Amino acid sequence: MEPLASGHDRSGFESAVEVLDRYFRTQSGQDARKNMAAPFVLALPDGTIAGYYTLSSTSVQLAELPEQPLRKLPKYPRVPATLMGRLAVDRRLQGKGYGPVSTRRRSLPICPERDRLVRADRGCEGR
């Protein structure tokens, strides 16, 4: 994984989720330049982009967190967090081990309602 750079060719990337493809091709570079999000890509040796994800700053209310981590956190109403806003793998490489990050539950973006995943193409959905 490496930060998105101007030398990365995004034009051929297709995840089969149009909203993710459009963002990656047209908006991700602007978001990086404006420090709105930090896009990272998995670039193969031939330059093909196998996948990408974006990170940005956010905060969560302490009441939304499970009890166990609360013991170690300050008693502020909100605590800083990192949001994985988008995650996509090129459709031609899906199922071949090119997932750019672990898809374990704790690595996925979560809706405000507990245990619901955020999907760009479908919104929140139950697990």
Side-chain angles (χ1 to χ4, degrees):
M1 297 304 296
E2 57 192 78
L4 177 65
S6 60
H8 290 122
D9 181 11
R10 295 173 278 165
S11 63
F13 183 84
E14 293 180 31
S15 71
V17 179
E18 179 56 34
V19 67
L20 293 174
D21 298 344
R22 186 175 45 249
Y23 169 81
F24 186 58
R25 287 191 218 114
T26 64
Q27 188 66 38
S28 59
Q30 293 175 43
D31 282 358
R33 285 188 297 279
K34 294 177 182 179
N35 294 317
M36 296 298 295
F40 289 86
V41 298
L42 179 58
L44 302 181
D46 67 359
T48 301
I49 302 296
Y52 80 93
Y53 68 89
T54 62
L55 300 178
S56 57
S57 296
T58 190
S59 64
V60 294
Q61 292 196 24
L62 282 179
E64 294 177 359
L65 297 176
E67 189 174 320
Q68 184 63 26
L70 289 176
R71 296 179 188 151
K72 299 177 183 177
L73 297 174
K75 302 300 179 209
Y76 300 125
R78 297 186 75 81
V79 293
T82 300
L83 173 69
M84 181 183 294
R86 291 173 177 85
L87 168 67
V89 175
D90 190 286
R91 67 176 176 76
R92 295 162 290 225
L93 299 170
Q94 290 174 3
K96 296 184 179 178
Y98 286 105
V101 297
S102 169
T103 54
R104 293 175 299 188
R105 182 174 171 212
R106 66 179 170 268
S107 299
L108 293 170
I110 302 294
C111 288
E113 307 90 63
R114 291 178 191 251
D115 299 326
R116 293 172 62 87
L117 303 179
V118 176
R119 289 195 44 153
D121 59 336
R122 297 184 200 144
C124 294
E125 62 182 30
R127 293 193 34 88

